[in-house]
């Protein structure tokens, strides 16, 4: 059987939902090819008034904080030594790695001259005063860190003992490095919009936008871990981690409380303009803070959420909804000026974004199928180097001793067959 035929047979055995995801990914790949062939102007509704559309608002500004679970749970488990949360780390790392990889895809799609994207690697092209430069460097660096962390289950899967032992020793440095890089670019995503002082509506504009973006990424990242663990238990038959998630429910309200202080104090004490002069934006703001902030904050304060799996899932989902709405409000809705032409994504932009979401789910399911990302328990993993590696290292000094010849065993004579 050829490799291609084996792959086809494997795909034919997948669930129909997985096949549907594959269809969406292929459709998005075709849409991406059309964009690269004909250019942004011919394939999107972007223009000089709205140079940033759906691909930036969702694939970058929203997707980056949604992938923040990797660095938040890594810090909690490895730096603060809450080791019982270790089973949640690997799925979060896979989610983060896939999220940032697809962010890179979204950035390439939105670049007017994508072939010049590599220019950022050359120091003589650097503009160190640009937030975009910082975000581009941090996204590349953090994606590399996540890839190295992702090699952990890969090494286990293929029995690569020496890389496994090396990666194990680098867990804490990787967690610290990931937290540093993420702090930089998560906050800098908010810095993007500080320049829009005359364009972004006063309900969202504040000099504290970078701090708001960073804090919201932290508690939303923890909620993504909760959502992911709950769905994997419900639909993939993975172990129930609700007892571990109860620890996260104690952390989330503290970060949400800090976020609310930095969101509402400047809004009340130093508003940047009229607040409730546009009914549509007022409605979006009320929906964001009531459904996506106040309600889940109240739910996380209830003691029942420690043991109620449905309540954990609902609260986490509401927080994620609130963050998605917040990022769209900041990067798209609140940037629209009265009487101005309204931007809406065309079918190709929507198909590509839908395919990127499908690709994230598809690759996560496939990685979970073929690699040990849920079976991780440190006490059960053998990090010792097998004897054969020691022999390789000492090959020049080890004297090979041949085993003594064994005495010949007389062959048994066949018994006579009875007539």
């Amino acid at each position: 059987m050829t490799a291609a035929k084996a792959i086809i047979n494997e795909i034919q055995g997948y669930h129909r939902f997985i096949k549907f995801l594959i269809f969406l990914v292929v459709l998005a790949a075709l849409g991406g090819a059309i964009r690269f062939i004909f250019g942004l102007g011919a394939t999107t509704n972007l223009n000089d008034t709205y140079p940033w559309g759906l691909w930036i608002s969702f694939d970058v500004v929203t997707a980056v904080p949604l992938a923040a679970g990797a660095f938040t749970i890594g810090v909690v488990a490895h730096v603060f030594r809450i080791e019982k949360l270790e089973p949640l780390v690997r799925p979060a790392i896979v989610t983060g790695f896939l999220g940032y990889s697809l962010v890179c895809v979204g950035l390439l799609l939105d670049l007017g001259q994508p072939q010049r994207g590599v220019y950022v690697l050359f120091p003589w092209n650097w503009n160190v005063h640009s937030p975009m430069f910082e975000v581009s460097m941090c996204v590349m660096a953090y994606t590399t860190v996540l890839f190295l962390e992702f090699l952990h289950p890969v090494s286990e899967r293929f029995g690569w003992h020496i890389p496994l032992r090396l990666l194990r020793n680098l867990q804490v440095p990787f967690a610290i490095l990931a937290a540093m890089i993420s702090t930089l670019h998560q906050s800098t995503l908010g810095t993007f919009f500080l320049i829009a002082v005359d364009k972004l509506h006063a309900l969202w504009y504040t000099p504290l936008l970078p701090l708001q973006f960073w804090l919201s990424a932290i508690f939303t990242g923890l909620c993504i871990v909760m959502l992911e663990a709950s769905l994997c238990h419900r639909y993939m038959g993975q172990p129930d981690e609700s007892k571990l998630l109860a620890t996260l429910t104690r952390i989330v309200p503290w970060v949400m409380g800090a976020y609310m202080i930095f969101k509402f104090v400047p809004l009340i004490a130093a508003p940047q303009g009229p607040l409730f002069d546009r009914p549509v934006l007022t409605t979006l703001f009320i929906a964001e803070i009531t459904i996506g902030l106040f309600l889940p904050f109240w739910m996380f304060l209830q003691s029942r959420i420690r043991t109620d799996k449905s309540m954990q899932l609902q609260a986490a989902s509401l927080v994620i909804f609130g963050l998605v709405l917040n990022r769209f409000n900041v990067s798209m809705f609140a940037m629209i000026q009265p009487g101005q032409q309204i931007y809406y994504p065309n079918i190709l932009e929507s198909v590509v974004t839908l395919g990127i979401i499908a690709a994230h789910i598809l690759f996560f399911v496939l990685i979970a199928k073929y690699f040990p990302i849920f079976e991780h328990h440190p006490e059960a993993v053998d990090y010792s180097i097998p004897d054969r590696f020691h022999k390789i290292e000492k090959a020049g000094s080890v004297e090979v001793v041949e085993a003594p010849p064994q005495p010949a065993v007389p062959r048994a004579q066949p018994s006579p067959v009875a007539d």
Side-chain angles (χ1 to χ4, degrees):
M1 179 184 296
T2 63
K5 191 172 182 180
I7 293 174
I8 293 173
N9 289 339
E10 183 76 7
I11 293 175
Q12 288 176 342
Y14 288 162
H15 191 275
R16 283 178 295 179
F17 178 67
I18 302 301
K19 294 178 181 176
F20 178 65
L21 292 177
I22 294 174
F23 169 74
L24 291 178
V25 173
V26 172
L27 206 61
L30 293 175
I34 294 172
R35 173 261 172 268
F36 286 122
I37 293 172
F38 296 101
L40 281 175
T43 56
T44 69
N45 281 346
L46 300 177
N47 51 52
D48 290 340
T49 306
Y50 296 101
W52 287 0
L54 179 63
W55 290 342
I56 291 296
S57 292
F58 183 81
D59 300 346
V60 179
V61 178
T62 304
V64 167
L66 291 181
F71 92 86
T72 53
I73 199 68
V75 169
V76 172
H78 295 152
V79 179
F80 293 108
R81 308 289 293 177
I82 307 180
E83 295 179 350
K84 66 179 182 180
L85 298 178
E86 187 72 31
L88 303 176
V89 173
R90 284 194 179 181
I93 288 175
V94 172
T95 301
F97 174 59
L98 292 175
Y100 275 80
S101 300
L102 295 173
V103 165
C104 295
V105 173
L107 281 173
L108 280 178
L109 285 168
D110 206 74
L111 286 177
Q113 299 287 336
Q115 73 278 8
R116 298 184 178 180
V118 296
Y119 286 8
V120 74
L121 298 175
F122 305 130
W124 53 88
N125 292 322
W126 289 356
N127 178 5
V128 295
H129 303 290
S130 170
M132 292 186 183
F133 168 75
E134 181 185 334
V135 169
S136 61
M137 297 302 287
C138 285
V139 167
M140 285 191 293
Y142 188 45
T143 306
T144 305
V145 172
L146 287 171
F147 173 73
L148 293 174
E149 290 183 308
F150 173 65
L151 287 180
H152 211 143
V154 175
S155 300
E156 268 188 37
R157 170 67 176 78
F158 294 107
W160 298 339
H161 290 261
I162 292 179
L164 187 61
R165 191 172 185 176
L166 178 63
L167 292 168
R168 175 67 174 173
N169 292 329
L170 292 174
Q171 273 186 342
V172 175
F174 279 159
I176 296 172
L177 187 61
M180 293 169 56
I181 298 173
S182 295
T183 298
L184 289 173
H185 71 265
Q186 293 283 0
S187 59
T188 305
L189 284 176
T191 307
F192 281 170
F193 303 98
L194 293 182
I195 197 173
V197 60
D198 296 324
K199 196 169 184 181
L200 182 60
H201 193 270
L203 282 172
W204 290 274
Y205 185 86
T206 168
L208 296 182
L209 261 180
L211 184 58
Q212 291 181 5
F213 269 48
W214 178 65
L215 287 172
S216 57
I218 291 176
F219 67 74
T220 306
L222 294 175
C223 289
I224 284 287
V225 173
M226 297 172 62
L227 177 74
E228 180 183 75
S230 300
L231 295 181
C232 289
H233 168 62
R234 181 173 296 185
Y235 297 109
M236 298 178 66
Q238 296 303 322
D240 180 11
E241 308 287 10
S242 56
K243 292 184 178 178
L244 300 180
L245 301 183
T247 303
L248 302 186
T249 62
R250 298 177 186 274
I251 301 173
V252 169
W254 287 95
V255 190
M256 291 184 74
Y259 171 78
M260 286 192 283
I261 291 173
F262 289 108
K263 185 173 182 65
F264 294 113
V265 169
L267 192 67
I268 298 171
Q272 302 294 314
L275 296 179
F276 304 110
D277 57 331
R278 296 171 63 181
V280 174
L281 294 184
T282 302
T283 304
L284 289 172
F285 180 76
I286 292 174
E288 176 191 324
I289 63 171
T290 54
I291 302 175
L293 194 60
F294 290 154
L295 179 57
F297 180 71
W298 175 81
M299 295 172 73
F300 278 116
L301 292 179
Q302 307 301 307
S303 58
R304 185 163 63 91
I305 199 172
R306 314 284 183 257
T307 55
D308 190 333
K309 291 183 287 188
S310 297
M311 195 172 181
Q312 291 175 357
L313 180 60
Q314 292 167 5
S317 301
L318 289 174
V319 168
I320 294 166
F321 166 79
L323 179 125
V324 173
L325 185 55
N326 172 265
R327 296 304 194 260
F328 270 85
N329 284 337
V330 172
S331 62
M332 185 179 291
F333 302 138
M335 300 285 274
I336 300 174
Q337 303 303 306
Q340 199 174 60
Q341 179 188 4
I342 297 176
Y343 161 82
Y344 57 89
N346 67 15
I347 184 66
L348 189 138
E349 292 176 82
S350 304
V351 166
V352 169
T353 296
L354 195 61
I356 288 177
I357 298 172
H360 195 148
I361 301 172
L362 172 66
F363 293 142
F364 182 88
V365 172
L366 294 181
I367 290 172
K369 179 179 176 63
Y370 297 108
F371 294 93
I373 66 170
F374 290 109
E375 297 85 355
H376 182 53
H377 295 282
E379 68 279 4
V381 179
D382 181 14
Y383 292 101
S384 61
I385 299 176
D387 288 343
R388 64 178 185 276
F389 289 106
H390 291 291
K391 287 180 179 178
I392 290 173
E393 292 170 357
K394 300 176 181 178
S397 59
V398 172
E399 182 179 355
V400 178
V401 180
E402 295 183 358
Q406 299 294 323
V409 177
R411 179 177 298 177
Q413 298 295 324
S415 59
V417 180
D419 293 334

